Structures are given as C-alpha cells and as structure tokens.
Amino acid sequence: MKTRLIRLVACAWLALMLPAQAASTVELNVSGRITPSACPPSLSKGGVYDLGKIAAKDLNIDRPTQLPTSSLQLAINCEARTLLALQPRDNRLGSSYHDSSTTFGLGLAGNSAKLGYLLLTLDAVFADGVEMISIGSTHSASWSPTRILSHHFLTAFAQDNSVTPAPVQQLTAQLQIAPALAPANTLPLSEEVPFEGSVTLTIKYL
C-alpha cells in the first residue's frame, strides 16, 4: 500500500509592506502509514480482578499493604506477522501512592488521599509457538529488557537474548497484577472507601 503525504502550505502576503520576492512561507508535512494487519488484544475474565471488601483493621498502619497477586491472560491476535508494542494508559493518573513511573493508581479518597497502586508485569510470553521476552522503550529507538508495564514507555516483544522488536502474529502472556493499599494512617477509614484501578492497553504499530 502506498504512503500518501499530505502537504499543507500556508502563505502570508504583505503586499503593501514588502516586495513580492520577500513573501514568507511556512510548510507543514503530515505523514503516516496504514497497516494492512489489525491486532486486537484481549484479557481473560473480561479484564477484571475483583478484590472484594478488605477490613480496615487488616491494613498496615504506616506502610503499604500488599494485596493478593492475581494474573490474567493477555492475548494478541494479528491477521499477519506484525511489528507492534503495548502502550499502557493509566486512567487514574496521578493517584498512585508509589513511584508513578512504574505503577498505576487506585484512585483518590474523599480527602484526595492516594488510595494505593498497581504493579503490572508480564510473564510466560509466547508468540507463534516461540518463547519471547518483553522489552521497553521510551521512544521506539532504543530498547531494554523489562517485565514491567508502564504508562511512561512502550512494551514490545523480542526473541531471547535480543533487544530488537520482532513481528508477531499470535501472542499470549500472563499479566501479573500486584495491588497495594496506602498506609492506614493516610486514609479516611471512618466510612467505606471504594478503590479502583483502570488501565487501557493500546496496540501501537511500529
């Protein structure tokens, strides 16, 4: 499929102030590619991990309380082998109690206290029958091995001992979800406090 370049040229004429040869112009170029292959992602259990109710007395007073870890299966099914990456988005951005570059928020309490955080990692990555590793990059040019998903960088997939994204068609991985609640002494616990993490995983074509 051909790549089409759309060009917009803006010209300003100062007919009475400058001679014709001094007219100023600025050029804007917009480009992109249309990929022939779509790669819809999916998560098992509808992408939901419900922790139910947690008693306030079970929370640590002055340090975060680690909650049970769970896992969901992530599946990516492409129509053909495709270079791609995951681009996570934190839908509760700014509410993570921990380092916000590697964790996702659980929302805010009524007093604007940060309720906790989620750490998301990938394990058991397989693509087209071959074991893969996950790699991360902030700008798609330089990649490093990492199991962590972050809204600060892209996550692609590579063959073992490589840091170069490889095209995939059928990929599965275990998405490990490790939530934690903020220390009890930072939370308004005189009434029930709901918490909810929300993360969107978008496929970015490389």
Side-chain angles (χ1 to χ4, degrees), residues 153-165:
F153 57 77
L154 299 173
T155 297
F157 307 96
Q159 308 227 351
D160 197 13
N161 298 320
S162 173
V163 289
T164 301

Side-chain angles (χ1 to χ4, degrees), residues 5 14 27 38 42 57 71 81 105 107 133 157 169 177 179 204:
L5 182 69
L14 304 180
E27 188 171 292
S42 63
K57 66 180 181 61
S71 68
R81 288 172 62 81
I133 63 169
F157 307 96
Q169 185 167 3
I177 307 165
K204 180 178 177 61

Side-chain angles (χ1 to χ4, degrees), residues 91-120:
N91 298 321
R92 303 290 180 266
L93 190 63
S95 69
S96 175
Y97 182 80
H98 201 264
D99 178 1
S100 60
S101 67
T102 57
T103 60
F104 300 82
L106 288 178
L108 300 173
N111 64 346
S112 296
K114 296 177 179 179
L115 290 169
Y117 60 88
L118 292 173
L119 178 65
L120 301 180

Side-chain angles (χ1 to χ4, degrees), residues 37-187:
S37 177
C39 298
S42 63
L43 287 170
S44 61
K45 301 179 183 178
V48 175
Y49 176 28
D50 187 355
L51 285 150
K53 291 190 176 183
I54 298 166
K57 66 180 181 61
D58 293 332
L59 300 183
N60 296 323
I61 297 296
D62 55 2
R63 67 184 189 278
T65 301
Q66 301 294 325
L67 301 179
T69 299
S70 184
S71 68
L72 300 175
Q73 186 182 65
L74 168 68
I76 301 174
N77 296 297
C78 303
E79 297 170 353
R81 288 172 62 81
T82 306
L83 271 176
L84 56 82
L86 288 173
Q87 187 173 42
R89 183 180 74 231
D90 188 354
N91 298 321
R92 303 290 180 266
L93 190 63
S95 69
S96 175
Y97 182 80
H98 201 264
D99 178 1
S100 60
S101 67
T102 57
T103 60
F104 300 82
L106 288 178
L108 300 173
N111 64 346
S112 296
K114 296 177 179 179
L115 290 169
Y117 60 88
L118 292 173
L119 178 65
L120 301 180
T121 56
L122 291 177
D123 283 325
V125 181
F126 288 87
D128 307 316
V130 177
E131 188 171 5
M132 307 281 280
I133 63 169
S134 52
I135 54 178
S137 174
T138 56
H139 47 72
S140 300
S142 176
W143 298 83
S144 300
T146 179
R147 294 174 52 237
I148 296 173
L149 288 181
S150 169
H151 54 94
H152 282 264
F153 57 77
L154 299 173
T155 297
F157 307 96
Q159 308 227 351
D160 197 13
N161 298 320
S162 173
V163 289
T164 301
V168 301
Q169 185 167 3
Q170 309 291 325
L171 182 140
T172 60
Q174 291 300 313
L175 177 64
Q176 304 291 338
I177 307 165
L181 292 177
N185 61 11
T186 68
L187 301 176

